[in-house]
Amino acid sequence: DTVLTQSPALAVSPGERVSISCRASEGVNSYMHWYQQKPGQQPKLLIYKASNLASGVPARFSGSGSGTDFTLTIDPVEADDTATYFCQQSWNDPRTFGGGTKLELK
Amino acid sequence: QVQLQQSGAELVKPGSSVKISCKASGYTFTSYDMHWIKQQPGNGLEWIGWIYPGNGNTKYNQKFNGKATLTADKSSSTAYMQLSSLTSEDSAVYFCARTEGPNWFAYWGQGTLVTVSS
């Protein structure tokens, strides 16, 4: 299976820029997607196919990368962005998710 | 608007089976895959498999072969997942999700908590 590796946690101050990384154990082309999950809620799609903003998602969120290295950027970070962020690939079977990065605000 | 409404929490005994549901509305049920995803407490997400309600075709993550069975009822626009031979490792929140693309999960149910305990 394709393993997606994310750093477990980050802490930033409101107004700053944060980059959340996701590294794949093998190439996934551009088929990397990003989700935000708040406690007790279902995940919410933020970015699809590496860099496309999902409908209704603020332009503060952006994505980049291809192959094995991908980044989700939030600029500027707001208090409401406190959540866990997951990457997910759909290029290789089975589809897999990263372990999640918990974003905390200082 | 697309909505996926899942059935309520279940408390089940080890060795038993459970069937959870996901009722879809706001789109043509038979035209999109329905996926199921597992999330254990404090853990990440695992993709279980999908069903295409239009013809009943299914595809499973090999890890869940024999554990999960996906079905769909076109008349009620409802997808089902049955989990069998339950153990404590099956205690988790299970989500149904509909793709766009068809690669990314654009719509999610609210999740169903399954607790396996004697």
Side-chain angles (χ1 to χ4, degrees), chain B residues 1-85:
Chain B
Q1 70 283 23
V2 175
Q3 291 191 335
L4 303 175
Q5 183 65 39
Q6 296 186 231
S7 49
E10 300 270 5
L11 173 60
V12 293
K13 295 192 184 306
S16 68
S17 297
V18 68
K19 191 172 186 177
I20 60 180
S21 66
C22 171
K23 183 171 176 59
S25 61
Y27 71 98
T28 303
F29 179 64
T30 52
S31 297
Y32 293 86
D33 301 337
M34 186 70 78
H35 295 246
W36 290 87
I37 293 147
K38 176 183 181 181
Q39 186 170 39
Q40 289 179 294
N43 286 3
L45 299 152
E46 287 185 282
W47 174 72
I48 296 170
W50 57 254
I51 183 167
Y52 184 67
N55 58 17
N57 282 356
T58 55
K59 182 176 177 63
Y60 295 92
N61 182 337
Q62 280 192 339
K63 177 178 178 180
F64 292 92
N65 270 331
K67 171 62 64 178
T69 302
L70 305 183
T71 57
D73 178 3
K74 288 188 279 190
S75 67
S76 63
S77 297
T78 302
Y80 298 92
M81 178 174 66
Q82 178 164 318
L83 300 168
S84 61
S85 303

Side-chain angles (χ1 to χ4, degrees), chain A residues 32-46:
Chain A
M32 186 67 79
H33 323 296
W34 291 93
Y35 303 86
Q36 176 193 66
Q37 187 179 32
K38 298 182 179 180
Q41 296 185 14
Q42 66 270 53
K44 172 188 174 183
L45 177 69
L46 297 175

Side-chain angles (χ1 to χ4, degrees), chain A residues 11-12 14-16 19 22 43 51 55-58 63 65-66 73 82 101 103 106:
Chain A
V12 298
E16 292 185 344
S19 293
C22 177
S51 61
S55 177
V57 175
S66 67
T73 299
T82 298
T101 297
L103 181 66
K106 297 177 185 175

